[in-house]
Amino acid sequence: MKKILVVLMALMMMAVMVAGCGGDSKKAAYPADGDITVIIPKAPGGGTDVSARSLMQFMQKELAGSKFVPVNRPDGGGVTGMVETANAKADGHTLGMVTVELAMFPHQGKCQNTYADYVGICAPIAAPAALIVAAEAPYNSLDEFIAYAKENPGKVQMGNSGIGAIWHIAAMSLEEKFGVKFKHVPYPKGTADIAAAIAGKHIDATLADPSSFKSQVEAGNLKVLAVMADSRSVIYPDVPTFKELGHDMTIRAWAALVAPKDTPKEKVEVLRNAAKKVCESQEFKDYLMKQGIDPTVIIGDDVDAMMKEDHELYAKFLKNK
């Protein structure tokens, strides 16, 4: 009887061990082992927010069993969201959309975090600065605009979204490059007010994301003279780049999905591979274009290189400014 009891107890222990092993083998693998929070350093509805949520929606389909959760943190012009992303637990379950301001803030004394605090996954948008003027303006090219500005120093009124913001800096770079002087006029509420001001002849021009002015251009109220990009815009294929016109200037407002710098490499690779498939898909590109966003495909190490390049660019440009 004792021998039988010993055998039964041994069988029961084996059964428990087998059950335990079976339970471990069924444990969900990353990224299905928990929600993935994506911190968005902008308010809902803007280009960064729309591109982030679109990317999350498509990546969630690509990564079976995963769930992406957006959290908007627009405080401090985006500083709060970018700091929270950098300080998050590096386990692959907290990501963030950082924007071009990350390359500017450290040089403006607004934030200590830099590109080195993150690892890049993808950048679905990198909108170039475009020179936009009224359709009836007397200049029809970049050269004609610059000539007019030189003939009228300090009189050309250039709209921007705020002093020290990316498009204000783009206009300042134009001043420095061509030796001209503008009167900078901020419109904190953004694109709609700037477009209306140009069309109504209250100001003369702006340097901004051309996709945001698409409806006004199509309506015949505005025209785009040139874009500060490496290649022509998908939305405005007939508009030349500054480089084509002999001026090596690239200023872009990008938004990039990143992870905290110490996130395990194998998890980063899972995210990068999924993001690459999404960003290269025509379905995703078409989706962004319907939202008025000019899509880009910048993946992995290229995101890191872009963030570093712009950090160094603004370090030089914003020195003593």
Side-chain angles (χ1 to χ4, degrees):
M1 182 63 70
K2 288 182 179 180
K3 289 181 179 181
I4 293 172
L5 289 172
V6 169
V7 171
L8 288 173
M9 289 179 67
L11 290 171
M12 289 175 64
M13 289 178 67
M14 287 176 66
V16 170
M17 290 174 66
V18 169
C21 291
D24 288 341
S25 67
K26 293 179 181 178
K27 185 178 179 180
Y30 180 80
D33 58 342
D35 293 350
I36 297 177
T37 297
V38 178
I39 299 172
I40 305 170
K42 300 289 183 181
T48 298
D49 181 69
V50 170
S51 63
R53 290 172 184 267
S54 302
L55 181 63
M56 292 162 61
Q57 177 184 333
F58 278 77
M59 285 185 68
Q60 189 165 282
K61 294 178 185 176
E62 190 66 38
L63 297 168
S66 63
K67 182 181 178 183
F68 285 74
V69 181
V71 177
N72 293 89
R73 291 281 189 270
D75 311 68
V79 171
T80 299
M82 289 191 272
V83 170
E84 284 188 12
T85 300
N87 294 338
K89 187 176 180 181
D91 59 0
H93 288 286
T94 300
L95 309 176
M97 287 293 284
V98 296
T99 60
V100 67
E101 283 81 11
L102 174 68
M104 298 157 52
F105 283 164
H107 314 303
Q108 296 171 320
K110 296 180 180 179
C111 177
Q112 296 303 309
N113 290 106
T114 72
Y115 67 91
D117 295 310
Y118 312 90
V119 57
I121 295 167
C122 72
I125 58 172
L131 180 57
I132 302 166
V133 300
E136 297 178 357
Y139 24 77
N140 293 301
S141 69
L142 172 62
D143 288 343
E144 289 180 2
F145 175 82
I146 294 300
Y148 181 87
K150 287 182 176 180
E151 292 168 4
N152 299 275
K155 293 183 180 179
V156 174
Q157 298 186 82
M158 184 73 74
N160 61 66
S161 57
I163 300 302
I166 180 63
W167 305 131
H168 175 229
I169 290 175
M172 290 170 65
S173 73
L174 202 64
E175 289 179 313
E176 189 172 279
K177 175 74 173 179
F178 294 100
V180 296
K181 186 65 179 175
F182 303 126
K183 181 179 179 180
H184 299 279
V185 184
Y187 287 84
K189 293 183 180 180
T191 302
D193 285 355
I194 295 173
I198 297 173
K201 299 181 182 179
H202 303 296
I203 59 174
D204 300 292
T206 188
L207 272 161
D209 173 5
S211 63
S212 300
F213 295 79
K214 190 170 184 289
S215 61
Q216 289 275 24
V217 172
E218 290 178 340
N221 299 321
L222 306 176
K223 58 187 175 185
V224 184
L225 301 184
V227 295
M228 290 183 178
D230 294 330
S231 58
R232 292 196 178 196
S233 165
V234 175
I235 296 177
Y236 298 101
D238 296 329
V239 176
T241 67
F242 274 64
K243 285 188 176 182
E244 286 180 70
L245 300 172
H247 311 293
D248 190 8
M249 299 181 73
T250 300
I251 292 184
R252 56 209 167 180
W254 43 261
L257 182 66
V258 300
K261 65 178 180 180
D262 294 323
T263 302
K265 290 182 179 180
E266 62 273 14
K267 293 186 177 182
V268 171
E269 285 306 306
V270 168
L271 295 167
R272 284 181 170 184
N273 290 336
K276 185 174 188 294
K277 290 180 181 178
V278 168
C279 290
E280 289 180 345
S281 72
Q282 194 58 48
E283 182 184 6
F284 181 67
K285 292 177 183 178
D286 290 343
Y287 185 89
L288 288 186
M289 284 191 284
K290 285 180 181 178
Q291 314 307 313
I293 297 172
D294 201 343
T296 59
V297 183
I298 306 173
I299 308 295
D301 292 342
D302 289 339
V303 176
D304 296 329
M306 177 184 71
M307 293 193 295
K308 181 180 180 181
E309 179 183 326
D310 277 12
H311 177 86
E312 293 171 351
L313 169 68
Y314 293 117
K316 294 176 183 177
F317 188 76
L318 293 172
K319 187 177 181 180
N320 301 324
K321 283 188 171 64

